[in-house]
Amino acid sequence: MEADVLLRAENLEKHFPVTEGLVLMRTVGRVRAVDGISFEVRRGRTLALVGESGCGKTTTAKLVLRLETPTGGTISMEGQDIHALSGQGLRRFRTQVQAVFQDPWSSLSPRMRVAEIVAEPLVVNKNVSRGEARQRVLELLNDVGLRPEQADLFPHEFSGGQRQRIAMASALSVAPALIVLDEPVSALDVSVQAQIMNLLRDLQAQHDVSYLMVSHNLATVRYLAHEVAVMYLGEIVERAETDDLYEHPLHPYTQALFSSALPAHPAQQRDEVMIQGEPPSPLDPPSGCRFHPRCPFAKAVCAEVAPEWKEETPGHFVACHLY
Amino acid sequence: MSETANSAGLGGNVVLDVHELQTHLFTKWGTTRAVDGVSFRIHEGETLGLVGESGSGKSMTVLSLLRLLPEAARIVGGRILLDGDDVVQMGMADVRRIRGRKMSMILQDPQTALNPVFTVGNQLMESIAAHRGSNGTRESRANVKKRALEVLRMMGVAAPERRLSDYPHQMSGGMKQRVVGGIAIESQPRLLIADEPTTSLDVTIQAQYLRLLKQVQRETGVAILFITHDMGVVARMCDRVAVMYAGRIVEQGSVQEIFDAPSHPYTQALLGSIPRMEERVARLTTIEGQPPALYALPRGCRFAVRCPHAHDRCEEAYPADFTGPGGHTAACWLLEETWKPMSS
């Protein structure tokens, strides 16, 4: 198992200071966006981070991409702390990790042709000339289901689904080990979502790449992810293999999240674990278990002691006093 | 079956009767038939889901109902009867009188629906005052405020007295959408148009909001036209569904019929392309290709080029509407043998 691990986050923490005043900025609090989480991404597999807005999933993705610096904990890839990299090591890291974002209208430069967009990571990170990159670009376009003559068009000539294909081709150009997918299909139409989800699966098998996916769509996650980590207020509350998690959700928050999801059929009735209210502010998270003020099963201990991680069944981890 | 009988014989009066609505866009590149012969009805207390992908014409249909069309667009045919009065024929003064009173709307994004520089109480009370023709006396102002508190309580806003003086940025997305909903239902409209009201909300908040809308509908009997592309929302909220494709409704029926026996190949493909939370499907079916451009529509069926069952006839003539079990209708030549032609 150990050899399979591509990326490991340990006690990862990102606190943003909240300041007051324009000149003498005083720190008056800290937003605990990510507050001590640990996870692994395995080779050729997909880990999904799910949760609602403000749970810290996007901040986690940014930390993995080195777009943010952690205030605690480490992320290591092949045994090296990615935030300690510099020079040659950093250049190598840039070719190993790529990203595809939610909105294909704003993530592609409108002034570059498709061939330039796809070749950009190669040219920047691998000192390949644009001429040499051309052949590679055409192969990649073929892999993502676009035609060679489309290489010289501009992004505005494509639909949303096609743009997302271009973004995938660009990400794959440097043969990365990991692609961070931030809500990769949520901006697309339903029938196009299916095309892109199938493509993501095919490309994973073909290029042997790992995905770290951030999503709030539970059905999409079920289709694409091998493992899922559920986040709430900056913490991971449950983590398991996808099928195991969906069939036996243990944490009351996971159960509530699943029962709030919309049905696939009108006749379908769920045993609803409705939770009331909205998540509290990560500026001042509740004591003990952070879910306790909204939890229908909360006990006295939940307000006082933060629950420990337990491996309830093999490979299924949960942080809850009920177990 | 019980559900079908229920929606067919819902008993209530027809609130909205849209008949052969045609709204075209006149641009310098030519005429775009954005809405091209759309017909549907909604009864009291009923929710109709209008489902379609981008460019299918669902938003143009809604803008036509409210007569809020952009300058380039014009209603070129059909009727929109709201409680028997034709909105198409009305003068703008009359249209303004029914907007917000008999027919109101909840938009997708509560962030942009509310004005950031006024308190939510101010905005809610402004619309109450406008609907009631409040004369600004102390007594009428007190009544307006009382009604505002009532509306917020109805929308499940806790401590409404405190919330009235909040600015939009002080509220969460779900709370703002409750205020927007409150403004929409305040005047006890006959028809509420909800245009993807929960897409920008989190799942747990979405579940709360949909439940609340249902509850408001039970209490007031308002008819709801729910615009969405999310079949999950349809399954949870709607009594009947109309599926739009390239400017026309291709299939219409009770929510059970549509999910259990989708009859138009487009509806079938649409349902097959949705991943499920309950099981990991082996592979999602996809619809190859893209919808036709609305300024260059084919003569025949608009779905024919993407349809796995298309034959010669589909390219020659646009299919007639056929009626199947339980008042279910679909426009597809495949149904000619088994379903009855629809009398208009």
Side-chain angles (χ1 to χ4, degrees), chain B residues 239-283:
Chain B
D239 302 304
R240 283 189 310 116
V241 189
V243 181
M244 273 192 93
Y245 186 79
R248 295 197 61 128
I249 289 176
V250 294
E251 182 165 3
Q252 199 169 161
S254 74
V255 71
Q256 264 73 17
E257 284 279 337
I258 297 287
F259 277 86
D260 288 340
S263 300
H264 194 285
Y266 174 65
T267 317
Q268 291 166 356
L270 198 60
L271 287 168
S273 67
I274 303 168
R276 283 164 174 263
M277 221 187 86
E278 294 72 24
E279 55 181 335
R280 183 194 278 254
V281 292
R283 196 166 177 85

Side-chain angles (χ1 to χ4, degrees), chain B residues 6 11 19 24 26 51 58 63 84-85 153 170:
Chain B
N6 180 21
H19 184 75
H24 294 179
F26 300 91
V51 181
K58 55 190 200 303
L63 294 178
D85 300 326
R153 229 168 268 131
Q170 294 170 296

Side-chain angles (χ1 to χ4, degrees), chain B residues 47-58:
Chain B
T47 304
L48 174 75
L50 190 60
V51 181
E53 300 185 84
S54 343
S56 62
K58 55 190 200 303

Side-chain angles (χ1 to χ4, degrees), chain B residues 175-206:
Chain B
M175 212 41 86
K176 271 185 282 213
Q177 196 64 309
R178 283 167 192 252
V179 172
V180 171
I183 292 175
I185 58 142
E186 179 286 314
S187 56
Q188 299 178 308
R190 298 277 291 151
L191 175 69
L192 177 66
I193 301 169
D195 187 0
E196 309 250 17
T198 58
T199 6
S200 63
L201 305 181
D202 274 321
V203 255
T204 56
I205 309 300
Q206 166 170 277

